[in-house]
Amino acid sequence: LAGKVVSGIPEDDPRNPATIADNVGDNVGDVAGMGSDLFGSFAEATCAALVVAAQSGSLIAQGGWAGLMFPVAISGGGILVCLVCSFIATHIQPVKKEVDIEKVLKVQLGATTIILTVVVYILAYIFLPSKFQINAVSGTVINFTPTKAWGCTIAGLWSGCMIGFITEYYTSHSYKPVREVAQACETGAATNIIYGLALGYKSTIIPVGILAGIVFVAFSLMDMYGVALAALGMLGTLSTCLAIDVYGPICDNAGGIAEMAEMPETVREKTDALDAAGNTTAAIGKGFAIGSACLVGLALFGAFVTRAGLNLASVSLVSPLIFASLIFGAMIPYWFSAMTMKSVGQAANEMVKEVARQFREIPGLLEGTPGHAPPDHARCIKISTDASLREMVPPAVLVMTAPILTGMFFGVEAVVGLLAGGMASGVQLAISASNTGGAWDNAKKYVEKGSVVIDGVVQRKGSELHKAAVVGDTVGDPLKDTSGPALNILMKLMAIISLVFADFFMSINNGQGYFNIPRRVF
């Protein structure tokens, strides 16, 4: 905003005091933030599977410690397979020309998925007994086999791969959807915004359909234990996905450093080629993170239901309490997103004013006069750091207190509705927000490449079409980098807090809350 929109200078121009803050933000958001998110998913999915498995006396009696530790074996096997497959990009099939970059990264992900499919089958027969029983949510006892466990796990494993590549289709300028958004900039920023929003909404259809299919298959085969295994399967390739995702911001920062250091144009061309592939891999990583967060949230939901001793009859939608809390829970992601987006807007506003002040008060900075005083980068970094820490508190309080207060006052059944509603709307909103923002970003890059031609004139940086694309990119940043990824945390954190406090909720009027609402109301 401060550079391209307000002052009309390039994005990574060394005159702009906010460029270093931009580079720091890429590391904090796309490296540390995404890493923390996926690590949390990894740990929470494992915990959910262990909690459900621990309720099965049959599994413990027949499989012993090894049978109980099968979820941990999946996690450990995934890490080792990813470690071996990392040599594909470094030694077996190293990148030698520009067109190889994206292909090699995708081959590495595909190879990891194929090898892990075989490894999980072997682990299932090593760790699990040939037959065991688990108490289903319906109250019945279901017979399980290692083959069923393997089926649930690979359903999650392969669907994660599919969701990642579908996300790429909707956010990469190599495909039609983003090119349509770029073309829509011809008539201004408004049509760009309309097309981008439509793309985001449409992009939820297939991923949500896949997630629904996984839940149905896994639940049919192995009840809530199957759902937890599917979540672990989707996270099996975590190490590779995280490495591929982090590749993007590294290349983006390299391009920014090249621009700030005023290096030759050939260097910038190379970093742009790397960055273009990085945008695609980052999109795959975001889709993977959202899909896994949804499944992990559902696995934790199953663990909560198991821990609270609820059965199928006690969590029926025909209960007014559950139906009411489900509708309220579906609203929570919107409340949360409103908080995070407004926080970004306020911080950006403060940053733009600070950059304008420096341009105004430091003689020759904006004009680039030789010998001018350097910009105050530290002040801009402090603004974004302080804002992120300060504005993090209200959304965190919302997510943490919603299930606790619901459980305390309305009981465990209300918590079930709250979690179901939050997950159902949260996953749609997360996919839509992330893909809309990613599409706007890559539509702008598509314009900057000179790929959009209107009436025989190539549209480049500085054109009216480019200005419209920049507006879309600016609006999309809080969607794809803040609200979208943060909803992953919301889905998981509400569920894990509910699981941790399950016994506390059950201690209050036998799980009916302080308002002592009857467990079954018709």
Side-chain angles (χ1 to χ4, degrees):
L1 274 172
K4 291 184 290 187
V5 177
V6 178
S7 304
I9 59 177
E11 186 171 4
D12 293 307
D13 195 291
R15 293 171 290 174
N16 188 341
T19 49
I20 301 297
D22 182 27
N23 287 350
V24 172
D26 284 340
N27 282 319
V28 172
D30 291 339
V31 180
M34 184 65 79
S36 302
D37 179 14
L38 289 171
F39 173 76
S41 294
F42 207 34
E44 288 157 9
T46 307
C47 289
L50 290 172
V51 168
V52 177
Q55 307 303 312
S56 169
S58 169
L59 175 60
I60 296 170
Q62 297 175 46
W65 181 251
L68 190 62
M69 289 294 107
F70 176 61
V72 180
I74 296 173
S75 305
I79 292 171
L80 292 175
V81 169
C82 291
L83 181 64
V84 171
C85 289
S86 66
F87 291 104
I88 292 173
T90 56
H91 293 78
I92 299 170
Q93 194 182 359
V95 174
K96 294 182 178 174
K97 50 185 183 293
E98 187 178 316
V99 292
D100 289 343
I101 302 169
E102 200 172 308
K103 187 179 96 175
V104 169
L105 292 170
K106 288 180 180 177
V107 165
Q108 183 176 339
L109 180 57
T112 305
T113 306
I114 292 168
I115 296 171
L116 192 55
T117 302
V118 178
V119 169
V120 170
Y121 185 82
I122 296 168
L123 290 173
Y125 276 90
I126 291 174
F127 282 82
L128 294 174
S130 58
K131 188 178 285 187
F132 59 99
Q133 292 81 38
I134 285 182
N135 293 325
V137 176
S138 61
T140 59
V141 176
I142 305 177
N143 292 317
F144 296 129
T145 63
T147 304
K148 284 186 177 181
W150 173 73
C152 293
T153 308
I154 65 161
L157 176 65
W158 282 96
S159 62
C161 216
M162 290 166 62
I163 290 171
F165 287 120
I166 290 162
T167 305
E168 180 207 353
Y169 172 75
Y170 280 104
T171 56
S172 170
H173 58 57
S174 301
Y175 304 102
K176 184 180 177 183
V178 171
R179 294 184 178 188
E180 285 182 345
V181 173
Q183 204 71 34
C185 296
E186 178 185 358
T187 48
T191 46
N192 180 28
I193 300 292
I194 291 167
Y195 267 69
L197 289 172
L199 179 149
Y201 297 148
K202 189 177 179 181
S203 70
T204 62
I205 298 170
I206 301 176
V208 169
I210 291 172
L211 288 170
I214 297 167
V215 171
F216 181 81
V217 170
F219 195 90
S220 299
L221 287 175
M222 298 187 75
D223 208 75
M224 277 301 181
Y225 188 54
V227 175
L229 291 180
L232 272 174
M234 188 176 283
L235 290 159
T237 56
L238 171 68
S239 303
T240 296
C241 284
L242 192 56
I244 287 174
D245 184 61
V246 169
Y247 167 87
I250 291 171
C251 296
D252 188 17
N253 277 357
I257 292 168
E259 180 82 26
M260 285 185 280
E262 299 179 349
M263 297 180 79
E265 191 64 31
T266 52
V267 175
R268 188 67 209 230
E269 286 172 7
K270 289 281 189 292
T271 58
D272 282 348
L274 294 168
D275 190 23
N279 285 331
T280 299
T281 57
I284 293 173
K286 280 190 171 67
F288 172 83
I290 294 167
S292 62
C294 176
L295 278 186
V296 169
L298 194 56
L300 290 166
F301 172 84
F304 169 74
V305 169
T306 304
R307 187 69 182 166
L310 300 172
N311 56 36
L312 195 61
S314 63
V315 290
S316 171
L317 270 181
V318 297
S319 164
L321 178 62
I322 292 182
F323 197 79
S325 57
L326 187 143
I327 293 172
F328 185 82
M331 174 274 301
I332 296 288
Y334 291 89
W335 188 358
F336 180 84
S337 296
M339 286 180 168
T340 54
M341 287 197 70
K342 189 174 181 182
S343 297
V344 172
Q346 290 172 338
N349 193 32
E350 194 177 344
M351 185 80 77
V352 169
K353 288 179 180 178
E354 171 59 24
V355 172
R357 181 195 67 78
Q358 292 195 34
F359 281 151
R360 187 174 60 251
E361 295 180 5
I362 300 177
L365 177 60
L366 180 59
E367 297 79 13
T369 307
H372 67 75
D376 186 357
H377 297 295
R379 174 63 188 154
C380 292
I381 294 170
K382 188 176 189 302
I383 288 172
S384 57
T385 305
D386 289 352
S388 66
L389 294 173
R390 182 180 64 247
E391 299 296 330
M392 176 181 69
V393 176
V397 170
L398 170 67
V399 175
M400 295 173 73
T401 56
I404 293 175
L405 294 178
T406 302
M408 285 173 60
F409 291 100
F410 297 97
V412 289
E413 292 184 5
V415 176
V416 168
L418 185 83
L419 296 179
M423 276 186 286
S425 71
V427 67
Q428 330 273 344
L429 196 56
I431 293 172
S432 173
S434 293
N435 290 352
T436 294
W440 278 327
D441 184 12
N442 283 332
K444 180 205 70 174
K445 286 183 167 67
Y446 188 64
V447 173
E448 290 174 347
K449 279 178 62 181
S451 301
V452 178
V453 179
I454 305 295
D455 297 329
V457 179
V458 177
Q459 305 295 312
R460 297 186 183 276
K461 287 184 180 181
S463 64
E464 289 301 314
L465 187 139
H466 180 250
K467 289 177 183 176
V470 167
V471 171
D473 178 36
T474 307
V475 174
D477 276 342
L479 289 173
K480 72 179 174 67
D481 293 330
T482 306
S483 294
L487 285 167
N488 300 344
I489 311 295
L490 177 141
M491 289 186 279
K492 295 180 296 184
L493 190 57
M494 284 177 62
I496 196 76
I497 285 175
S498 301
L499 175 59
V500 169
F501 282 85
D503 290 345
F504 171 62
F505 298 153
M506 290 301 295
S507 70
I508 304 172
N509 289 325
N510 194 30
Q512 294 175 212
Y514 287 126
F515 291 160
N516 205 16
I517 297 174
R519 297 287 291 272
R520 293 288 290 157
V521 183
F522 290 94

